[in-house]
Amino acid sequence: MDDGTLLAALDLGSNSFRLEIGRLDHGRVLRTEYLKETVRQGGGLSPDGSLTLEAMQRGWDCLARFGERLAGFAPRQVRAVATQTLREARNREEFLVRGAEVLGFPIDVISGPEEARLIYAGAARLLPPSNERRLVVDVGGRSTEMVLGQGLEARVLASCPIGSVASSLTHFPEGRYTASAFAAAQAAAEAALEEEAARFPRSGWDVAYGASGTVGAIGDILAALGEPPGLITRAALHALRERLLQARQVDQVRLAGLKEDRRPVIGGGISVLCAVFAQLGIERLQVAQGALRQGVLYDLLQREAPATDIRTATVQALARRFGVDAEQAGRVDRTARELFAQLCPGAPEDTLRTLHWAAQLHEIGNSIAHGEHPRHGAYILEHADAPGFGEQELRQLARLVLGQRGKLRKLPLVLEDAGFALQLACLRLAVLLCHARRDPAPPLPRLEREAAAFCVTLPARWVERYPQSAHLLREEVEAWRKTPWAMGIAYGA
């Protein structure tokens, strides 16, 4: 990307939706605009785990306003990520489909570890260069992330389902502050953090940093009370909790620095942060300026080239971990991309990259069993800890791996997506043509598309020379016959 390019990151959090716009300047992203709206989707989950219509509408209305601001941005300049509330919501697809429409850009639901990675990336980018070992924590609305890292590298990642909104709704539902309520809130938070806390020993870090909303809000309040700016100590945090106890009721709290949109969740936020201090042995927490949004912005930059795209490294790591035959993966990859170039010359790099990753990982399921290996591979990808990938991206890869061979009725709805169908056709034909675990004999069959039909044109005498491949190709034609697509065979001179 050229200097001056604008980039935008959207953080669809449980408490607030935030839009960060920055301008690229010699490898740095400098803020040009920041918008925040308190949406409180985390408080809009019904008892059955579904988002209420009111909560979804608040989110859609906010995204429509953000979408107007982003008019004219190219897809490669924008990334929207959703966190814990949409990880949990049973009806999240309903929200995401409509949300992407009004925003004008897709929305990625990211896993807890991926959220932690991006939080660390954002915090580290805005901290001075240092070799110090860092602990970064982020208390969100419904989850708390913890990261150990050094420099720009995140090394230990964790996400726990406890946050300021969830804690406030459970332990301070009517806004009353009592000693027993605070004790219960902190005990519940410590229980949620306890298992992961063992991975973050005090000996493993030199400096602790806090990122994002809850930490920033508490830091602002303490600074207004005369504490050192940008620093939260254990003693000051406990003293702040005592001030809330003295007020007894949330609407009676009078604290300079406490913003009104933060007031309803400050009790839960303090309780969770007290639990973080207790579980991780923190005495001093420095407030970091960077967080998830900044991490997403720099991740957009890295996605521009395969060499810096962390998703490329993730695919390579998965292939090594599960013992993928690299030579066969390379054959299928080259063949699939050559076929796709016939169908879609000049296709976007993102589309080609997805097909490349699917080909590289198409045999990942062999590590479990050769029989049904596409199904095993799809399961691995849907449940893998895959840095850099959103859940939708992983699902797309999993569906390509699942559909690489065999009957297509297992993919009924996604075949209505023309882009996916084109990728899948090329991957399936590549797997077929490389079935003998060698490169297809030249020339490669010609692949064309007209409307919802594919035509495979074979060289003269191809069927006589490659009878097994011809048999597999006839089976492929039959497989597509039971889908919204058709495939036919023609013969050249």
Side-chain angles (χ1 to χ4, degrees):
M1 290 185 182
D2 297 330
D3 281 349
T5 300
L6 292 177
L7 301 174
L10 291 91
D11 169 8
L12 279 58
S14 299
N15 193 50
S16 303
F17 285 7
R18 304 164 190 261
L19 169 62
E20 181 96 10
I21 299 176
R23 177 174 51 82
L24 183 60
D25 181 17
H26 296 87
R28 300 178 301 160
V29 182
L30 306 178
R31 174 184 283 184
T32 62
E33 193 169 349
Y34 170 61
L35 300 175
K36 171 190 170 184
E37 293 195 21
T38 302
V39 177
R40 289 212 178 88
Q41 279 208 319
L45 286 174
S46 61
D48 72 347
S50 298
L51 281 170
T52 64
L53 180 58
E54 292 79 8
M56 289 196 291
Q57 191 63 55
R58 290 196 302 272
W60 292 331
D61 290 345
C62 174
L63 291 175
R65 289 187 285 272
F66 285 176
E68 181 180 350
R69 176 61 187 85
L70 294 173
F73 278 65
R76 62 195 279 266
Q77 295 171 258
V78 179
R79 190 179 183 203
V81 298
T83 55
Q84 185 66 26
T85 293
L86 287 167
R87 288 197 286 266
E88 293 181 39
R90 294 180 60 186
N91 58 341
R92 67 178 182 178
E93 289 304 321
E94 179 183 356
F95 176 82
L96 292 171
V97 170
R98 176 63 179 153
E101 288 176 359
V102 300
L103 178 64
F105 299 92
I107 300 169
D108 287 336
V109 179
I110 55 175
S111 69
E114 177 65 2
E115 181 180 359
R117 183 188 74 83
L118 290 170
I119 287 167
Y120 183 86
R125 285 283 186 174
L126 271 66
L127 287 171
S130 171
N131 287 324
E132 66 189 11
R133 298 173 303 162
R134 294 164 172 160
L135 167 68
V136 175
V137 299
D138 184 330
V139 177
R142 292 190 73 90
S143 68
T144 294
E145 281 65 48
M146 304 178 291
V147 191
L148 287 181
Q150 191 168 21
L152 298 179
E153 182 186 359
R155 295 176 177 175
V156 182
L157 306 166
S159 178
C160 302
I162 184 68
S164 61
V165 173
S167 180
S168 296
L169 287 171
T170 301
H171 300 285
F172 311 102
E174 297 177 359
R176 286 200 300 267
Y177 294 139
T178 66
S180 59
F182 269 110
Q186 182 170 338
E190 288 196 40
L193 298 167
E194 186 174 21
E195 184 174 349
E196 293 289 1
R199 302 170 59 210
F200 298 82
R202 181 59 189 86
S203 59
W205 50 271
D206 303 315
V207 183
Y209 294 94
S212 201
T214 296
V215 168
I218 292 173
D220 288 344
I221 294 168
L222 292 177
L225 291 172
E227 297 291 331
L231 179 67
I232 301 173
T233 65
R234 186 191 292 251
L237 182 61
H238 289 178
L240 180 57
R241 181 178 58 191
E242 290 303 313
R243 283 179 173 264
L244 267 62
L245 279 169
Q246 291 168 13
R248 298 186 179 181
Q249 191 75 26
V250 64
D251 56 10
Q252 296 301 311
V253 174
R254 301 289 182 264
L255 289 171
L258 175 59
K259 297 177 181 178
E260 284 304 309
D261 67 327
R262 184 61 56 174
R263 179 183 295 275
V265 296
I266 193 63
I270 290 173
S271 300
V272 176
L273 193 57
C274 284
V276 170
F277 270 64
Q279 284 290 312
L280 302 184
I282 300 172
E283 293 295 333
R284 296 163 57 88
L285 185 73
Q286 296 186 26
V287 179
Q289 298 304 307
L292 177 61
R293 300 181 310 283
Q294 289 77 16
V296 172
L297 289 174
Y298 281 100
D299 209 54
L300 273 173
L301 280 181
Q302 294 177 328
R303 285 176 170 226
E304 277 293 289
T308 57
D309 190 340
I310 190 171
R311 294 173 297 177
T312 298
T314 294
V315 168
Q316 294 170 346
L318 285 170
R320 289 193 300 270
R321 177 181 175 187
F322 290 98
V324 168
D325 181 341
E327 291 188 4
Q328 177 66 1
R331 293 184 196 101
V332 171
D333 180 20
R334 289 189 298 274
T335 305
R337 286 196 282 171
E338 286 181 34
L339 291 168
F340 197 82
Q342 295 179 22
L343 281 182
C344 305
E349 179 60 33
D350 280 352
T351 303
L352 292 173
R353 210 174 294 180
T354 300
L355 182 59
H356 163 66
W357 292 329
Q360 290 293 320
L361 298 175
H362 79 284
E363 289 189 332
I364 194 172
N366 276 338
S367 61
I368 297 176
H370 181 72
E372 293 288 321
H373 80 80
R375 194 174 301 278
H376 300 316
Y379 179 87
I380 289 171
L381 289 173
E382 285 188 330
H383 295 86
D385 181 6
F389 284 95
E391 290 186 9
Q392 291 91 331
E393 292 175 309
L394 279 180
R395 193 177 303 124
Q396 178 89 335
L397 280 181
R399 287 168 174 166
L400 286 169
V401 168
L402 176 64
Q404 66 181 277
R405 57 190 292 183
K407 297 178 180 179
L408 286 166
R409 62 171 178 261
K410 55 196 172 186
L411 295 168
L413 296 179
V414 290
L415 285 175
E416 296 177 5
D417 179 346
F420 177 83
L422 299 183
Q423 290 177 318
L424 184 63
C426 294
L427 179 62
R428 286 174 66 91
L429 287 171
V431 170
L432 182 161
L433 293 169
C434 298
H435 73 92
R437 307 190 85 76
R438 58 174 178 262
D439 288 321
L444 197 67
R446 189 167 73 249
L447 181 61
E448 298 171 296
R449 172 202 173 191
E450 184 174 345
F454 301 108
C455 180
V456 182
T457 302
L458 303 172
R461 304 180 65 83
W462 190 89
V463 172
E464 297 175 18
R465 293 174 181 169
Y466 309 107
Q468 176 63 11
S469 295
H471 169 72
L472 293 174
L473 189 55
R474 287 191 291 269
E475 288 188 334
E476 184 69 5
V477 169
E478 287 301 313
W480 285 93
R481 197 183 303 279
K482 299 177 182 179
T483 74
W485 295 78
M487 181 174 286
I489 302 175
Y491 298 93

